[in-house]
Amino acid sequence: MARIAVIGAGLGAMAAAARLAVAGHRPVVFERASTYGGAVGRIERDGFVFDTGPGLLHLPAVYRDLFVKTGKEPLEDLVGLTQVEPAVRHVFADGTTTDLPNVRRGGVAEALDATVGGGAGARWSAFMNRAREAWDRSRRPLLEEPLWPNWQVLADREPYPALVRKRVLRKDRAATTLAEVGALELGGEPHLVALVEQYALAYGLDPRTAPASAAVLPYMEQTFGTWAVTGGMRALADAVYARCLKRKVEFRFGSAVTGIVEKDGRAAGVELADGTVEDAEFVVSGVAPGVLAGLLPGRAVRDGGPAQQESAWPSRLTVHLALRGARPEGTPHRTVVHAADRDAELAWLFEGGAAPQRPTVAVLRTGDPAGVPDAEHEAVTLTVTVPAHARVAEADVERILAAAEPAVPGLRERLLWHEARTPEDIAEATGAEGGAVPAPALAAARGELLHAANSTALPGLLTVGGWSHPGGGLPHAGMSGALVAGLIVEGPEFRGSQ
Protein backbone atom coordinates (compact mmCIF):
# COMPACT_ATOMS: atom_id res chain seq x y z
CA MET A 1 0.00 0.00 0.00
CA ALA A 2 1.74 3.14 -1.25
CA ARG A 3 1.33 6.70 -0.09
CA ILE A 4 0.63 8.83 -3.15
CA ALA A 5 0.85 12.62 -3.30
CA VAL A 6 -1.65 14.13 -5.75
CA ILE A 7 -1.07 17.74 -6.79
CA GLY A 8 -4.35 19.50 -7.52
CA ALA A 9 -7.99 18.55 -6.99
CA GLY A 10 -9.33 18.72 -10.53
CA LEU A 11 -11.71 16.08 -11.88
CA GLY A 12 -8.91 13.99 -13.40
CA ALA A 13 -6.84 14.07 -10.24
CA MET A 14 -9.80 13.13 -8.06
CA ALA A 15 -10.76 10.32 -10.45
CA ALA A 16 -7.24 8.92 -10.14
CA ALA A 17 -7.26 9.29 -6.35
CA ALA A 18 -10.58 7.45 -5.96
CA ARG A 19 -9.40 4.55 -8.12
CA LEU A 20 -6.06 4.35 -6.31
CA ALA A 21 -7.78 4.31 -2.93
CA VAL A 22 -9.99 1.40 -3.98
CA ALA A 23 -6.82 -0.44 -5.07
CA GLY A 24 -5.48 -0.13 -1.53
CA HIS A 25 -3.23 2.91 -1.85
CA ARG A 26 -3.29 6.04 0.34
CA PRO A 27 -3.73 9.14 -1.84
CA VAL A 28 -3.28 12.57 -0.29
CA VAL A 29 -4.50 15.47 -2.44
CA PHE A 30 -2.72 18.81 -2.04
CA GLU A 31 -4.78 21.70 -3.44
CA ARG A 32 -3.65 25.32 -3.22
CA ALA A 33 -7.23 26.62 -3.49
CA SER A 34 -9.88 26.31 -0.81
CA THR A 35 -12.02 23.84 -2.73
CA TYR A 36 -11.97 21.03 -5.28
CA GLY A 37 -13.03 20.77 -8.92
CA GLY A 38 -10.36 22.76 -10.75
CA ALA A 39 -11.99 24.32 -13.81
CA VAL A 40 -15.38 22.95 -12.71
CA GLY A 41 -16.22 25.76 -10.32
CA ARG A 42 -19.28 27.73 -9.33
CA ILE A 43 -20.30 31.38 -9.02
CA GLU A 44 -23.13 32.38 -6.70
CA ARG A 45 -24.61 35.87 -6.49
CA ASP A 46 -28.02 37.21 -5.49
CA GLY A 47 -29.56 33.74 -5.64
CA PHE A 48 -28.15 33.02 -9.13
CA VAL A 49 -25.78 30.06 -9.56
CA PHE A 50 -23.48 29.47 -12.54
CA ASP A 51 -20.97 26.82 -13.54
CA THR A 52 -17.59 28.37 -14.37
CA GLY A 53 -16.47 25.46 -16.55
CA PRO A 54 -18.25 23.11 -18.98
CA GLY A 55 -22.02 23.30 -18.80
CA LEU A 56 -22.86 19.97 -20.44
CA LEU A 57 -21.56 16.42 -20.22
CA HIS A 58 -20.60 14.18 -23.13
CA LEU A 59 -19.60 10.52 -22.85
CA PRO A 60 -21.17 10.05 -19.39
CA ALA A 61 -20.01 6.41 -19.60
CA VAL A 62 -16.61 7.59 -18.35
CA TYR A 63 -18.08 8.68 -15.03
CA ARG A 64 -20.46 5.74 -14.88
CA ASP A 65 -17.37 3.53 -15.01
CA LEU A 66 -15.68 5.58 -12.28
CA PHE A 67 -18.55 5.21 -9.83
CA VAL A 68 -19.11 1.54 -10.57
CA LYS A 69 -15.40 0.73 -10.19
CA THR A 70 -15.05 2.73 -6.98
CA GLY A 71 -18.28 1.78 -5.24
CA LYS A 72 -20.60 -0.28 -7.45
CA GLU A 73 -23.11 2.56 -7.65
CA PRO A 74 -24.73 3.85 -10.84
CA LEU A 75 -23.90 7.45 -11.68
CA GLU A 76 -27.61 8.20 -11.99
CA ASP A 77 -28.09 7.31 -8.30
CA LEU A 78 -25.69 10.11 -7.35
CA VAL A 79 -26.47 12.93 -9.78
CA GLY A 80 -29.46 13.77 -11.92
CA LEU A 81 -28.74 13.25 -15.62
CA THR A 82 -31.03 14.40 -18.42
CA GLN A 83 -30.55 14.19 -22.17
CA VAL A 84 -31.23 17.68 -23.48
CA GLU A 85 -33.65 17.97 -26.38
CA PRO A 86 -32.87 19.34 -28.84
CA ALA A 87 -29.16 18.72 -28.36
CA VAL A 88 -28.42 22.15 -29.83
CA ARG A 89 -29.97 24.93 -31.87
CA HIS A 90 -27.75 26.53 -34.53
CA VAL A 91 -28.35 30.11 -35.65
CA PHE A 92 -26.25 30.62 -38.77
CA ALA A 93 -24.80 33.87 -40.06
CA ASP A 94 -27.66 34.37 -42.54
CA GLY A 95 -30.30 33.85 -39.85
CA THR A 96 -31.13 30.24 -40.80
CA THR A 97 -32.01 28.26 -37.68
CA THR A 98 -31.95 24.51 -37.20
CA ASP A 99 -32.56 22.34 -34.14
CA LEU A 100 -30.50 19.15 -34.05
CA PRO A 101 -32.03 16.29 -32.02
CA ASN A 102 -30.13 14.35 -29.38
CA VAL A 103 -28.71 10.90 -30.29
CA ARG A 104 -30.81 10.59 -33.46
CA ARG A 105 -28.55 10.81 -36.48
CA GLY A 106 -31.49 10.23 -38.79
CA GLY A 107 -33.25 13.11 -37.09
CA VAL A 108 -30.19 15.32 -37.60
CA ALA A 109 -30.30 14.58 -41.33
CA GLU A 110 -34.02 15.37 -41.47
CA ALA A 111 -33.49 18.66 -39.63
CA LEU A 112 -30.72 19.70 -42.01
CA ASP A 113 -32.80 18.78 -45.04
CA ALA A 114 -35.73 20.79 -43.71
CA THR A 115 -33.75 23.96 -42.98
CA VAL A 116 -30.72 23.86 -45.28
CA GLY A 117 -32.05 21.69 -48.13
CA GLY A 118 -30.09 20.62 -51.18
CA GLY A 119 -29.30 17.14 -49.87
CA ALA A 120 -27.62 18.56 -46.76
CA GLY A 121 -28.86 15.68 -44.60
CA ALA A 122 -27.40 13.02 -46.88
CA ARG A 123 -24.05 14.83 -47.08
CA TRP A 124 -23.88 15.14 -43.30
CA SER A 125 -24.89 11.50 -42.76
CA ALA A 126 -22.18 10.29 -45.16
CA PHE A 127 -19.67 12.43 -43.26
CA MET A 128 -20.81 10.93 -39.96
CA ASN A 129 -20.33 7.43 -41.37
CA ARG A 130 -16.72 8.25 -42.18
CA ALA A 131 -16.34 9.87 -38.76
CA ARG A 132 -17.50 6.59 -37.22
CA GLU A 133 -14.62 4.82 -38.97
CA ALA A 134 -12.19 7.37 -37.57
CA TRP A 135 -13.66 6.80 -34.11
CA ASP A 136 -13.39 3.02 -34.38
CA ARG A 137 -9.79 3.23 -35.55
CA SER A 138 -8.57 5.73 -32.97
CA ARG A 139 -10.73 5.19 -29.87
CA ARG A 140 -8.49 2.79 -27.95
CA PRO A 141 -5.05 4.29 -28.60
CA LEU A 142 -6.30 7.83 -28.11
CA LEU A 143 -8.64 7.42 -25.16
CA GLU A 144 -8.42 4.05 -23.43
CA GLU A 145 -4.72 3.15 -23.51
CA PRO A 146 -1.60 4.89 -22.22
CA LEU A 147 0.17 6.76 -25.00
CA TRP A 148 2.19 4.25 -26.99
CA PRO A 149 6.01 4.50 -26.80
CA ASN A 150 5.93 4.58 -30.61
CA TRP A 151 3.38 7.39 -30.56
CA GLN A 152 4.69 8.58 -33.95
CA VAL A 153 2.43 5.94 -35.48
CA LEU A 154 -0.52 8.00 -34.31
CA ALA A 155 1.13 11.17 -35.58
CA ASP A 156 1.61 9.83 -39.10
CA ARG A 157 -1.56 7.80 -39.53
CA GLU A 158 -4.79 9.59 -40.41
CA PRO A 159 -7.71 7.46 -39.16
CA TYR A 160 -10.31 9.42 -41.10
CA PRO A 161 -11.13 7.65 -44.41
CA ALA A 162 -11.41 10.81 -46.45
CA LEU A 163 -12.94 10.58 -49.89
CA VAL A 164 -10.66 11.17 -52.84
CA ARG A 165 -12.09 13.80 -55.19
CA LYS A 166 -11.03 13.86 -58.84
CA ARG A 167 -10.41 17.29 -60.27
CA VAL A 168 -10.15 18.21 -63.93
CA LEU A 169 -6.52 18.46 -65.12
CA ARG A 170 -5.29 18.02 -61.54
CA LYS A 171 -4.21 15.18 -59.33
CA ASP A 172 -6.77 13.44 -57.15
CA ARG A 173 -7.21 15.11 -53.78
CA ALA A 174 -8.35 13.88 -50.38
CA ALA A 175 -9.38 16.06 -47.46
CA THR A 176 -6.65 16.22 -44.82
CA THR A 177 -8.05 18.98 -42.59
CA LEU A 178 -11.48 19.68 -41.17
CA ALA A 179 -11.81 22.75 -43.40
CA GLU A 180 -11.07 20.60 -46.44
CA VAL A 181 -13.72 18.12 -45.30
CA GLY A 182 -16.18 21.00 -45.42
CA ALA A 183 -15.03 22.15 -48.83
CA LEU A 184 -14.57 18.78 -50.55
CA GLU A 185 -16.98 16.40 -48.83
CA LEU A 186 -19.74 18.71 -47.61
CA GLY A 187 -19.74 20.53 -50.93
CA GLY A 188 -18.71 23.85 -49.44
CA GLU A 189 -22.34 24.38 -48.38
CA PRO A 190 -21.93 27.34 -46.00
CA HIS A 191 -24.24 26.05 -43.26
CA LEU A 192 -22.61 22.61 -43.17
CA VAL A 193 -19.15 24.20 -43.24
CA ALA A 194 -20.08 26.43 -40.30
CA LEU A 195 -21.54 23.43 -38.47
CA VAL A 196 -18.48 21.21 -38.80
CA GLU A 197 -15.99 24.00 -38.12
CA GLN A 198 -17.84 25.04 -34.96
CA TYR A 199 -16.88 21.75 -33.33
CA ALA A 200 -13.21 22.63 -33.84
CA LEU A 201 -13.60 26.23 -32.64
CA ALA A 202 -15.39 25.13 -29.47
CA TYR A 203 -12.21 23.28 -28.49
CA GLY A 204 -9.88 26.06 -29.61
CA LEU A 205 -8.81 24.26 -32.79
CA ASP A 206 -8.18 25.99 -36.11
CA PRO A 207 -10.31 24.09 -38.67
CA ARG A 208 -7.83 25.05 -41.39
CA THR A 209 -5.10 23.01 -39.68
CA ALA A 210 -7.06 20.57 -37.49
CA PRO A 211 -6.78 17.09 -39.04
CA ALA A 212 -9.72 15.36 -40.67
CA SER A 213 -9.70 13.05 -37.63
CA ALA A 214 -11.33 15.94 -35.73
CA ALA A 215 -14.51 14.48 -37.24
CA VAL A 216 -14.67 12.37 -34.08
CA LEU A 217 -15.73 15.49 -32.13
CA PRO A 218 -19.18 15.88 -33.76
CA TYR A 219 -19.43 12.08 -33.97
CA MET A 220 -19.09 11.70 -30.20
CA GLU A 221 -21.71 14.33 -29.50
CA GLN A 222 -24.26 13.07 -32.01
CA THR A 223 -23.72 9.38 -31.17
CA PHE A 224 -23.35 9.34 -27.38
CA GLY A 225 -25.51 12.33 -26.58
CA THR A 226 -25.49 15.60 -24.72
CA TRP A 227 -26.42 15.48 -21.05
CA ALA A 228 -27.32 18.05 -18.42
CA VAL A 229 -26.52 17.52 -14.75
CA THR A 230 -29.17 18.61 -12.28
CA GLY A 231 -27.75 21.41 -10.18
CA GLY A 232 -25.06 22.13 -12.76
CA MET A 233 -21.77 20.46 -13.57
CA ARG A 234 -20.51 21.37 -10.13
CA ALA A 235 -22.84 18.65 -8.82
CA LEU A 236 -20.70 16.11 -10.69
CA ALA A 237 -17.58 17.48 -9.01
CA ASP A 238 -19.40 17.25 -5.66
CA ALA A 239 -20.20 13.58 -6.34
CA VAL A 240 -16.60 12.73 -7.30
CA TYR A 241 -15.30 14.51 -4.19
CA ALA A 242 -17.81 12.67 -2.00
CA ARG A 243 -16.72 9.38 -3.54
CA CYS A 244 -13.09 10.22 -2.74
CA LEU A 245 -13.97 10.93 0.88
CA LYS A 246 -15.92 7.69 1.10
CA ARG A 247 -12.85 5.83 -0.15
CA LYS A 248 -10.73 7.60 2.55
CA VAL A 249 -8.83 9.91 0.20
CA GLU A 250 -7.25 12.70 2.27
CA PHE A 251 -7.59 16.30 1.07
CA ARG A 252 -5.48 19.25 2.19
CA PHE A 253 -6.87 22.49 0.89
CA GLY A 254 -4.86 25.70 1.03
CA SER A 255 -1.72 23.58 0.62
CA ALA A 256 0.38 24.91 -2.25
CA VAL A 257 3.03 22.52 -3.54
CA THR A 258 6.26 24.40 -4.33
CA GLY A 259 8.47 21.50 -5.33
CA ILE A 260 8.67 17.80 -6.09
CA VAL A 261 11.19 15.89 -4.01
CA GLU A 262 13.56 13.63 -5.92
CA LYS A 263 15.46 10.83 -4.22
CA ASP A 264 17.55 8.03 -5.74
CA GLY A 265 16.45 9.05 -9.22
CA ARG A 266 12.69 9.01 -8.66
CA ALA A 267 9.90 11.19 -7.29
CA ALA A 268 9.76 10.74 -3.53
CA GLY A 269 7.30 13.36 -2.28
CA VAL A 270 6.37 17.02 -2.39
CA GLU A 271 7.51 20.18 -0.65
CA LEU A 272 4.85 22.62 0.53
CA ALA A 273 4.87 26.41 0.73
CA ASP A 274 5.52 26.30 4.48
CA GLY A 275 8.70 24.28 3.90
CA THR A 276 7.38 20.94 5.08
CA VAL A 277 8.10 17.83 3.03
CA GLU A 278 5.52 15.11 2.51
CA ASP A 279 7.01 11.76 1.56
CA ALA A 280 5.32 9.60 -1.06
CA GLU A 281 6.09 6.55 -3.18
CA PHE A 282 4.42 8.18 -6.19
CA VAL A 283 3.55 11.75 -7.16
CA VAL A 284 0.59 12.47 -9.46
CA SER A 285 0.57 15.98 -10.94
CA GLY A 286 -2.69 17.49 -12.11
CA VAL A 287 -1.33 20.94 -12.99
CA ALA A 288 -0.45 22.72 -16.24
CA PRO A 289 2.94 21.99 -17.87
CA GLY A 290 4.44 25.35 -16.92
CA VAL A 291 3.46 24.89 -13.29
CA LEU A 292 4.89 21.36 -13.25
CA ALA A 293 8.17 22.58 -14.77
CA GLY A 294 8.43 25.09 -11.93
CA LEU A 295 8.16 22.27 -9.39
CA LEU A 296 11.24 20.58 -10.89
CA PRO A 297 13.49 23.49 -12.00
CA GLY A 298 16.31 22.44 -14.27
CA ARG A 299 14.88 18.94 -14.66
CA ALA A 300 13.49 17.60 -17.93
CA VAL A 301 10.04 16.29 -17.03
CA ARG A 302 8.88 14.93 -20.36
CA ASP A 303 10.46 11.83 -21.88
CA GLY A 304 10.76 13.09 -25.45
CA GLY A 305 7.18 12.33 -26.43
CA PRO A 306 4.61 14.89 -27.57
CA ALA A 307 4.14 17.81 -25.21
CA GLN A 308 1.62 20.61 -25.54
CA GLN A 309 2.59 24.19 -24.79
CA GLU A 310 -0.04 26.33 -23.14
CA SER A 311 0.79 29.19 -25.50
CA ALA A 312 -0.44 27.09 -28.44
CA TRP A 313 -4.07 27.10 -27.28
CA PRO A 314 -6.79 29.76 -27.13
CA SER A 315 -8.76 30.50 -23.99
CA ARG A 316 -12.43 31.09 -23.18
CA LEU A 317 -14.42 34.14 -22.20
CA THR A 318 -17.56 33.33 -20.24
CA VAL A 319 -20.23 35.89 -19.45
CA HIS A 320 -22.83 35.00 -16.83
CA LEU A 321 -26.15 36.83 -17.14
CA ALA A 322 -28.78 37.39 -14.45
CA LEU A 323 -32.09 38.07 -16.22
CA ARG A 324 -35.46 39.16 -14.95
CA GLY A 325 -38.38 37.14 -16.30
CA ALA A 326 -38.89 33.41 -16.56
CA ARG A 327 -37.23 31.23 -19.18
CA PRO A 328 -39.74 30.94 -22.04
CA GLU A 329 -41.34 27.56 -22.61
CA GLY A 330 -39.61 25.55 -25.34
CA THR A 331 -36.29 27.38 -25.07
CA PRO A 332 -33.38 25.18 -26.22
CA HIS A 333 -30.87 24.23 -23.55
CA ARG A 334 -27.97 25.24 -25.81
CA THR A 335 -27.82 27.54 -28.82
CA VAL A 336 -24.79 28.29 -31.00
CA VAL A 337 -24.96 31.67 -32.74
CA HIS A 338 -22.42 31.56 -35.55
CA ALA A 339 -19.98 34.33 -36.40
CA ALA A 340 -20.96 36.80 -39.09
CA ASP A 341 -17.48 36.66 -40.65
CA ARG A 342 -15.72 33.29 -40.48
CA ASP A 343 -12.41 34.53 -41.88
CA ALA A 344 -12.26 37.45 -39.46
CA GLU A 345 -12.90 35.15 -36.50
CA LEU A 346 -10.16 32.72 -37.54
CA ALA A 347 -7.71 35.59 -38.09
CA TRP A 348 -8.50 36.91 -34.62
CA LEU A 349 -8.06 33.57 -32.89
CA PHE A 350 -5.04 32.20 -34.71
CA GLU A 351 -3.27 35.06 -36.49
CA GLY A 352 -3.41 37.96 -34.06
CA GLY A 353 -6.06 39.86 -36.02
CA ALA A 354 -8.62 42.32 -34.69
CA ALA A 355 -11.61 41.06 -32.73
CA PRO A 356 -14.63 40.47 -34.97
CA GLN A 357 -17.78 42.46 -34.40
CA ARG A 358 -19.79 39.27 -33.89
CA PRO A 359 -17.89 36.12 -32.83
CA THR A 360 -19.40 32.66 -32.45
CA VAL A 361 -21.25 32.50 -29.12
CA ALA A 362 -22.51 29.40 -27.31
CA VAL A 363 -25.58 30.23 -25.22
CA LEU A 364 -26.56 27.99 -22.30
CA ARG A 365 -30.09 28.37 -20.92
CA THR A 366 -30.53 25.41 -18.58
CA GLY A 367 -33.84 26.24 -16.91
CA ASP A 368 -32.54 24.52 -13.78
CA PRO A 369 -34.51 25.92 -10.81
CA ALA A 370 -31.42 25.46 -8.61
CA GLY A 371 -29.69 28.20 -10.62
CA VAL A 372 -32.13 31.06 -10.01
CA PRO A 373 -33.62 32.82 -6.97
CA ASP A 374 -37.18 32.07 -8.13
CA ALA A 375 -39.24 31.12 -11.17
CA GLU A 376 -39.39 34.75 -12.34
CA HIS A 377 -35.69 34.91 -13.19
CA GLU A 378 -33.35 33.17 -15.60
CA ALA A 379 -29.62 32.40 -15.49
CA VAL A 380 -27.85 32.40 -18.87
CA THR A 381 -24.21 31.70 -19.71
CA LEU A 382 -22.45 32.90 -22.86
CA THR A 383 -19.15 31.30 -23.92
CA VAL A 384 -16.76 32.51 -26.60
CA THR A 385 -13.42 31.05 -27.67
CA VAL A 386 -10.87 33.88 -27.42
CA PRO A 387 -7.09 34.16 -27.83
CA ALA A 388 -5.01 33.26 -24.80
CA HIS A 389 -3.80 36.32 -22.87
CA ALA A 390 -6.76 38.28 -24.28
CA ARG A 391 -7.48 41.41 -22.25
CA VAL A 392 -11.23 41.76 -21.93
CA ALA A 393 -12.78 45.23 -21.86
CA GLU A 394 -16.41 46.16 -21.35
CA ALA A 395 -16.66 46.85 -25.09
CA ASP A 396 -15.78 43.18 -25.74
CA VAL A 397 -18.55 42.06 -23.42
CA GLU A 398 -20.97 44.39 -25.17
CA ARG A 399 -20.14 42.81 -28.55
CA ILE A 400 -20.81 39.36 -27.09
CA LEU A 401 -24.14 40.48 -25.63
CA ALA A 402 -25.13 41.84 -29.03
CA ALA A 403 -24.04 38.61 -30.74
CA ALA A 404 -26.20 36.57 -28.33
CA GLU A 405 -29.38 38.56 -29.01
CA PRO A 406 -30.69 36.14 -31.68
CA ALA A 407 -30.69 33.39 -29.05
CA VAL A 408 -32.01 35.54 -26.18
CA PRO A 409 -34.54 38.03 -27.55
CA GLY A 410 -34.96 41.09 -25.34
CA LEU A 411 -31.70 40.32 -23.54
CA ARG A 412 -30.84 43.95 -22.78
CA GLU A 413 -34.27 44.78 -21.38
CA ARG A 414 -34.15 41.74 -19.10
CA LEU A 415 -30.54 42.11 -17.94
CA LEU A 416 -30.07 42.72 -14.22
CA TRP A 417 -26.30 42.27 -14.18
CA HIS A 418 -23.54 40.33 -15.84
CA GLU A 419 -20.25 38.89 -14.62
CA ALA A 420 -17.38 37.93 -16.93
CA ARG A 421 -14.81 35.17 -16.41
CA THR A 422 -11.78 36.08 -18.48
CA PRO A 423 -8.59 34.30 -19.62
CA GLU A 424 -6.86 36.03 -16.72
CA ASP A 425 -9.33 34.42 -14.30
CA ILE A 426 -8.72 30.99 -15.87
CA ALA A 427 -4.96 31.49 -15.61
CA GLU A 428 -5.33 32.34 -11.93
CA ALA A 429 -7.47 29.26 -11.26
CA THR A 430 -5.52 26.70 -13.31
CA GLY A 431 -2.01 28.12 -13.67
CA ALA A 432 -2.16 27.65 -17.45
CA GLU A 433 -0.30 30.35 -19.35
CA GLY A 434 -2.68 33.00 -20.62
CA GLY A 435 -5.67 31.01 -19.42
CA ALA A 436 -5.21 28.50 -22.23
CA VAL A 437 -7.65 25.58 -22.33
CA PRO A 438 -6.38 22.24 -23.73
CA ALA A 439 -8.19 20.39 -26.50
CA PRO A 440 -8.80 16.61 -26.70
CA ALA A 441 -6.01 14.58 -28.28
CA LEU A 442 -6.35 13.88 -31.99
CA ALA A 443 -4.41 11.59 -34.30
CA ALA A 444 -2.46 12.71 -37.39
CA ALA A 445 -1.29 16.34 -37.82
CA ARG A 446 2.32 15.26 -37.19
CA GLY A 447 1.44 14.59 -33.56
CA GLU A 448 0.88 18.27 -32.80
CA LEU A 449 -2.52 17.49 -31.25
CA LEU A 450 -1.36 14.59 -29.11
CA HIS A 451 -0.74 15.26 -25.44
CA ALA A 452 2.17 14.19 -23.31
CA ALA A 453 2.14 10.67 -21.90
CA ASN A 454 0.91 10.20 -18.34
CA SER A 455 4.30 8.75 -17.40
CA THR A 456 7.29 11.12 -17.31
CA ALA A 457 11.07 11.08 -17.53
CA LEU A 458 11.19 10.97 -13.72
CA PRO A 459 10.20 7.53 -12.39
CA GLY A 460 7.42 7.74 -9.84
CA LEU A 461 6.00 10.98 -11.31
CA LEU A 462 2.84 10.76 -13.41
CA THR A 463 0.59 13.44 -14.85
CA VAL A 464 -3.18 13.60 -15.05
CA GLY A 465 -5.80 16.00 -16.42
CA GLY A 466 -6.29 18.03 -19.56
CA TRP A 467 -2.64 18.74 -20.29
CA SER A 468 -1.83 15.03 -20.36
CA HIS A 469 -2.97 12.13 -22.53
CA PRO A 470 -5.78 11.97 -23.66
CA GLY A 471 -6.23 15.74 -23.44
CA GLY A 472 -8.84 18.30 -22.47
CA GLY A 473 -12.53 17.98 -21.69
CA LEU A 474 -14.44 16.41 -18.80
CA PRO A 475 -14.66 12.89 -20.31
CA HIS A 476 -10.96 12.95 -21.14
CA ALA A 477 -10.11 14.08 -17.61
CA GLY A 478 -11.90 11.03 -16.24
CA MET A 479 -10.07 8.81 -18.73
CA SER A 480 -6.70 10.22 -17.69
CA GLY A 481 -7.52 9.37 -14.08
CA ALA A 482 -8.20 5.77 -15.04
CA LEU A 483 -4.94 5.55 -17.01
CA VAL A 484 -2.81 6.97 -14.21
CA ALA A 485 -4.36 4.64 -11.65
CA GLY A 486 -3.73 1.69 -13.97
CA LEU A 487 -0.08 2.65 -14.49
CA ILE A 488 0.50 2.83 -10.74
CA VAL A 489 -1.46 -0.29 -9.79
CA GLU A 490 -0.32 -2.54 -12.65
CA GLY A 491 2.94 -0.86 -13.62
CA PRO A 492 4.33 0.14 -17.02
CA GLU A 493 2.86 -2.99 -18.63
CA PHE A 494 -0.67 -1.61 -18.12
CA ARG A 495 -2.43 -1.38 -21.48
CA GLY A 496 -5.78 0.08 -20.56
CA SER A 497 -9.12 -1.30 -19.45
CA GLN A 498 -10.55 -4.16 -21.46
Side-chain angles (χ1 to χ4, degrees):
M1 182 165 61
R3 190 170 192 264
I4 299 171
V6 181
I7 306 173
L11 266 292
M14 290 198 295
R19 290 176 180 273
L20 288 166
V22 167
H25 295 293
R26 293 180 294 118
V28 182
V29 180
F30 299 92
E31 170 57 57
R32 68 186 178 100
S34 60
T35 188
Y36 51 87
V40 185
R42 176 178 286 165
I43 291 176
E44 299 185 38
R45 176 178 165 185
D46 299 339
F48 291 88
V49 182
F50 303 92
D51 283 327
T52 61
L56 292 167
L57 182 63
H58 301 106
L59 285 178
V62 173
Y63 289 93
R64 290 191 181 109
D65 182 75
L66 172 66
F67 285 102
V68 168
K69 297 287 178 60
T70 61
K72 298 182 180 180
E73 291 180 272
L75 173 62
E76 285 82 353
D77 285 357
L78 303 169
V79 298
L81 280 181
T82 305
Q83 280 189 314
V84 301
E85 192 62 57
V88 59
R89 169 174 290 174
H90 286 273
V91 180
F92 296 103
D94 64 357
T96 299
T97 298
T98 185
D99 290 352
L100 302 185
N102 207 342
V103 202
R104 285 195 298 114
R105 284 178 48 195
V108 170
E110 292 173 3
L112 291 173
D113 277 336
T115 55
V116 177
R123 285 183 181 271
W124 186 263
S125 294
F127 165 59
M128 282 289 97
N129 287 337
R130 292 188 290 277
R132 180 183 61 201
E133 289 190 49
W135 168 260
D136 290 340
R137 293 172 180 175
S138 63
R139 176 177 58 86
R140 279 201 63 82
L142 275 177
L143 303 179
E144 298 175 358
E145 298 176 350
L147 190 66
W148 296 342
N150 62 333
W151 57 269
Q152 290 87 352
V153 174
L154 293 173
D156 299 334
R157 182 182 299 166
E158 171 58 77
Y160 180 79
L163 291 179
V164 175
R165 294 295 187 186
K166 293 186 177 181
R167 301 182 299 170
V168 178
L169 301 180
R170 293 187 184 183
K171 294 181 179 179
D172 293 350
R173 182 183 178 195
T176 60
T177 68
L178 205 60
E180 289 178 346
V181 168
L184 299 175
E185 300 183 11
L186 298 178
E189 202 290 322
H191 303 90
L192 297 184
V193 169
L195 179 58
V196 72
E197 290 191 352
Q198 181 271 328
Y199 284 96
L201 289 173
Y203 287 104
L205 296 166
D206 185 345
R208 300 168 301 182
T209 58
S213 64
V216 300
L217 301 176
Y219 175 80
M220 284 191 292
E221 178 176 309
Q222 294 190 5
T223 301
F224 303 112
T226 300
W227 302 75
V229 178
T230 303
M233 205 60 65
R234 181 66 181 182
L236 178 62
D238 293 341
V240 176
Y241 175 65
R243 174 51 46 86
C244 285
L245 294 181
K246 194 171 183 178
R247 298 281 80 86
K248 308 302 182 186
V249 175
E250 181 181 351
F251 284 83
R252 299 191 190 177
F253 296 109
S255 296
V257 173
T258 56
I260 294 174
V261 177
E262 186 177 348
K263 184 178 180 181
D264 298 329
R266 64 174 288 120
V270 296
E271 183 175 354
L272 305 181
D274 62 6
T276 60
V277 172
E278 297 283 345
D279 295 331
E281 284 87 343
F282 291 91
V283 175
V284 174
S285 172
V287 298
V291 177
L292 177 57
L295 301 181
L296 282 167
R299 181 77 155 80
V301 178
R302 297 305 182 186
D303 57 4
Q308 295 293 343
Q309 300 296 322
E310 294 105 310
S311 58
W313 295 105
S315 184
R316 305 290 184 274
L317 170 61
T318 306
V319 184
H320 303 293
L321 310 178
L323 304 183
R324 62 173 61 87
R327 175 179 183 267
E329 190 72 25
T331 296
H333 196 105
R334 177 174 56 133
T335 299
V336 175
V337 183
H338 290 260
D341 187 333
R342 175 254 196 191
D343 292 335
E345 181 168 48
L346 295 182
W348 170 54
L349 288 173
F350 306 108
E351 300 169 8
Q357 189 61 32
R358 201 186 89 183
T360 299
V361 180
V363 182
L364 204 65
R365 305 178 70 180
T366 69
D368 190 336
V372 291
D374 54 53
E376 297 306 313
H377 292 85
E378 183 182 8
V380 176
T381 297
L382 314 178
T383 303
V384 179
T385 300
V386 300
H389 296 284
R391 297 292 181 181
V392 178
E394 188 59 31
D396 300 310
V397 175
E398 287 298 319
R399 280 197 295 271
I400 292 168
L401 293 177
E405 283 274 4
V408 192
L411 185 157
R412 302 224 175 239
E413 292 75 23
R414 298 179 58 197
L415 185 62
L416 294 170
W417 51 261
H418 68 264
E419 186 167 324
R421 180 175 171 81
T422 68
E424 187 175 1
D425 295 323
I426 295 175
E428 173 62 26
T430 67
E433 181 183 344
V437 179
L442 294 172
R446 301 173 300 281
E448 294 175 1
L449 298 178
L450 296 174
H451 289 261
N454 306 103
S455 55
T456 70
L458 180 61
L461 172 64
L462 298 97
T463 62
V464 73
W467 292 105
S468 299
H469 181 71
L474 279 181
H476 297 73
M479 294 172 193
S480 75
L483 293 176
V484 165
L487 287 167
I488 291 176
V489 173
E490 298 186 23
E493 65 278 7
F494 174 67
R495 291 295 178 265
S497 58
Q498 300 300 319

